């Protein structure tokens, strides 16, 4: 019975009820919609799953943790300077390579273990409705025996919500830093769902635009394809990371309930990764269809231009033919109309009929030639 009660508490902690407002704490991480200062330190000390104190500085956090060896410190940083990370590294014996990665960011999702400390890199994502774009952020998590340090490079995810859910369920926080890590993983993975829905709507709109002949659709397909490449880089490595954590259940004595939760998160990540793969395949096919339709449209336009050019050529032939026919009598009439006194046929009795006959013969001959060549 006890296990069943704890399972229900776990689910209540990790699944936020829809439409239920939660009070915000002044020392929680700021929501992603608000602009963040260059560096924000959120330090809270927990004991037996309950908030014991909220030190104002890192130095006070260190001192409070030494005074309460059974406690757990959860420190949240946003784009911290090197001095703060070096201070944390000296206090909690963080590996220099992990600290360097957290400072530089731009890392691929990964999981590395340095002694008793676990270093996790996650890529969070959120869908922006106005520009219809996917915004990616980077999250670094250090997990030790008595501490959790989160380093955010970007707006997502909203760790303040994760902190509130955890604090509302002391039974969950008593499980230690691993429970915090798995709750953060759940928040990152749950954040992928709205992105998947938003991308699905974009693909549906793109399909409509492709068949409506929108000239800007090619650019939109290309931009969305690039976002899906980034999405794949965020989700694919996470599948292997979670399986790596599951492989260490027995070795590190992971709580049984946490094991169930991690398997659930792994299932969600696998489903999301498969959806992203299908999106990339769909965009490739849409791009191929769009290229085919554009080619067909260009061919139709070229055909129309060729037909118009052919008709123009036919008209030019007709005009040229009639111009040549009419030029013959004009030439004869022009010659005999010159004002010269000595023209051989000028006083000839049959000169006028001969001139008319010559005009008719030339015009008839030209007409026959042009008719045979289908110019008339």
């Amino acid at each position: 019975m006890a296990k069943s009660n704890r399972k229900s508490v776990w689910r209540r902690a990790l699944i936020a009820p829809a439409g239920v407002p939660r009070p915000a704490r002044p020392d929680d991480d700021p929501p992603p919609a608000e602009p963040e200062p260059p560096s924000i330190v959120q330090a809270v000390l927990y004991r037996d799953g309950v908030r014991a104190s909220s030190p104002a500085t890192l130095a006070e956090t260190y001192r409070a943790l030494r005074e309460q060896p059974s406690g757990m410190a959860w420190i949240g940083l946003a784009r911290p300077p090197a001095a703060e990370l070096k201070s944390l590294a000296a206090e909690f014996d963080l590996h220099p390579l992990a600290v360097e990665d957290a400072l530089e960011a731009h890392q691929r999702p990964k999981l590395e273990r340095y002694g008793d400390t676990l270093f996790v890199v996650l890529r969070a994502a959120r869908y922006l409705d106005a520009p219809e774009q996917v915004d990616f952020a980077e999250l670094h998590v250090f997990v030790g025996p008595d501490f959790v340090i989160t380093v955010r490079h970007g707006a997502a995810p909203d760790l303040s919500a994760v902190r509130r859910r955890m604090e509302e369920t002391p039974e969950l926080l008593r499980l230690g830093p691993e429970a915090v890590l798995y709750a953060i993983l759940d928040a990152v993975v749950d954040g992928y769902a709205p992105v998947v829905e938003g991308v699905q709507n974009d693909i549906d709109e793109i399909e409509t635009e492709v068949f409506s002949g929108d000239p800007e659709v090619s650019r939109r397909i290309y931009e969305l394809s690039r976002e899906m490449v980034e999405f794949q880089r965020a989700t694919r490595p996470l599948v292997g990371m979670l399986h790596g954590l599951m492989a260490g259940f027995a070795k590190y004595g992971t709580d049984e309930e946490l094991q169930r939760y991690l398997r659930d998160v792994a299932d969600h990540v696998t489903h999301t990764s498969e959806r992203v793969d299908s999106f990339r395949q769909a965009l490739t096919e849409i791009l191929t269809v769009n290229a085919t339709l554009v080619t067909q449209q260009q061919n139709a336009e070229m055909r129309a231009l060729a037909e118009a050019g052919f008709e123009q050529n036919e008209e030019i032939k007709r005009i040229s033919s009639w111009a040549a026919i009419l030029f013959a009598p004009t030439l004869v009439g022009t010659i005999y109309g010159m004002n010269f006194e000595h023209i051989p046929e000028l006083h000839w009795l049959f000169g006028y009929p001969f001139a008319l006959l010559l005009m008719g013969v030339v015009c008839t001959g030209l007409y026959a030639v042009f008719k045979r060549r289908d110019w008339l």
Side-chain angles (χ1 to χ4, degrees):
M1 181 65 67
K3 183 180 295 186
S4 175
N5 291 336
R6 187 176 66 177
K7 185 173 182 180
S8 62
V9 170
W10 175 266
R11 288 179 176 174
R12 289 199 302 271
L14 295 178
I15 302 175
V20 179
R22 298 182 183 273
R25 298 181 183 272
D27 56 343
D28 275 334
D29 293 338
E34 298 180 0
E36 298 176 342
S39 175
I40 301 177
V41 178
Q42 307 292 337
V44 181
L45 190 66
Y46 298 95
R47 187 175 184 180
D48 293 330
V50 179
R51 179 187 288 237
S53 62
S54 302
T57 64
L58 290 178
E60 293 179 7
T61 304
Y62 304 155
R63 184 168 55 254
L65 189 59
R66 296 191 194 103
E67 293 173 355
Q68 299 182 11
S70 60
M72 178 190 72
W74 183 353
I75 303 172
L77 305 176
R79 302 183 183 93
E84 290 181 357
L85 276 182
K86 289 180 180 178
S87 173
L88 291 167
E91 178 67 23
F92 297 109
D93 194 23
L94 305 180
H95 197 278
L97 293 178
V99 174
E100 181 181 356
D101 289 344
L103 277 174
E104 294 181 356
H106 304 293
Q107 305 293 321
R108 298 195 66 180
K110 63 180 179 178
L111 183 149
E112 295 179 350
R113 188 176 292 275
Y114 300 98
D116 293 335
T117 303
L118 195 65
F119 178 61
V120 180
V121 178
L122 303 172
R123 294 290 303 278
R126 59 175 182 165
Y127 186 80
L128 305 179
D129 292 324
E132 295 185 339
Q133 295 177 352
V134 182
D135 178 51
F136 295 95
E138 197 165 325
L139 176 65
H140 302 253
V141 185
F142 296 89
V143 181
D146 59 351
F147 66 88
V148 176
I149 302 172
T150 59
V151 181
R152 284 169 39 189
H153 294 273
D158 182 9
L159 295 182
S160 61
V162 178
R163 189 189 298 271
R164 288 194 299 269
R165 296 171 194 172
M166 297 287 285
E167 290 181 352
E168 290 174 359
T169 53
E171 298 86 351
L172 183 58
L173 269 176
R174 289 194 188 102
L175 297 178
E178 279 189 339
V180 177
L181 172 62
Y182 299 152
I184 292 174
L185 287 170
D186 179 71
V188 172
V189 174
D190 285 349
Y192 293 154
V195 179
V196 169
E197 295 302 322
V199 172
Q200 181 64 67
N201 292 334
D202 287 346
I203 292 178
D204 293 340
E205 293 176 0
I206 286 174
E207 289 178 344
T208 303
E209 293 173 359
V210 164
F211 290 101
S212 64
D214 189 342
E216 297 294 330
V217 69
S218 297
R219 182 189 180 109
R220 189 176 181 187
I221 294 173
Y222 174 74
E223 292 176 349
L224 189 57
S225 297
R226 291 187 60 184
E227 292 177 354
M228 289 305 96
V229 171
E230 290 295 323
F231 207 178
Q232 277 188 328
R233 292 175 180 173
T235 56
R236 274 188 177 179
L238 193 54
V239 176
M241 289 167 51
L242 292 173
H243 283 88
L245 284 175
M246 290 189 292
F249 282 164
K251 180 178 180 180
Y252 298 101
T254 305
D255 181 82
E256 181 179 352
E257 191 64 25
L258 292 182
Q259 294 183 25
R260 296 192 185 98
Y261 165 63
L262 184 59
R263 293 191 186 97
D264 181 66
V265 175
D267 291 340
H268 291 172
V269 172
T270 302
H271 176 70
T272 301
S273 181
E274 291 174 351
R275 289 288 302 275
V276 175
D277 291 341
S278 67
F279 288 159
R280 283 205 65 187
Q281 181 65 30
L283 288 171
T284 301
E285 294 175 354
I286 292 174
L287 188 60
T288 302
V289 171
N290 182 63
T292 302
L293 293 176
V294 170
T295 301
Q296 291 178 350
Q297 182 179 1
Q298 291 176 346
N299 291 339
E301 292 175 355
M302 293 296 294
R303 189 181 304 110
L305 289 175
E307 292 176 354
F310 178 77
E311 292 178 357
Q312 290 178 354
N313 290 336
E314 293 298 318
E315 292 296 330
I316 292 175
K317 289 179 181 179
R318 293 188 184 94
I319 295 173
S320 301
S321 301
W322 286 112
I325 294 173
L326 295 177
F327 177 73
T330 303
L331 178 62
V332 175
T334 302
I335 293 175
Y336 283 96
M338 291 187 296
N339 296 321
F340 292 103
E341 182 178 356
H342 302 288
I343 296 179
E345 297 85 4
L346 187 60
H347 301 286
W348 186 31
L349 180 62
F350 300 101
Y352 178 70
F354 175 77
L356 294 178
L357 179 62
L358 180 59
M359 293 179 187
V361 170
V362 173
C363 291
T364 303
L366 290 175
Y367 180 83
V369 171
F370 293 143
K371 192 67 175 179
R372 188 179 304 112
R373 294 184 179 180
D374 293 329
W375 285 27
L376 293 174

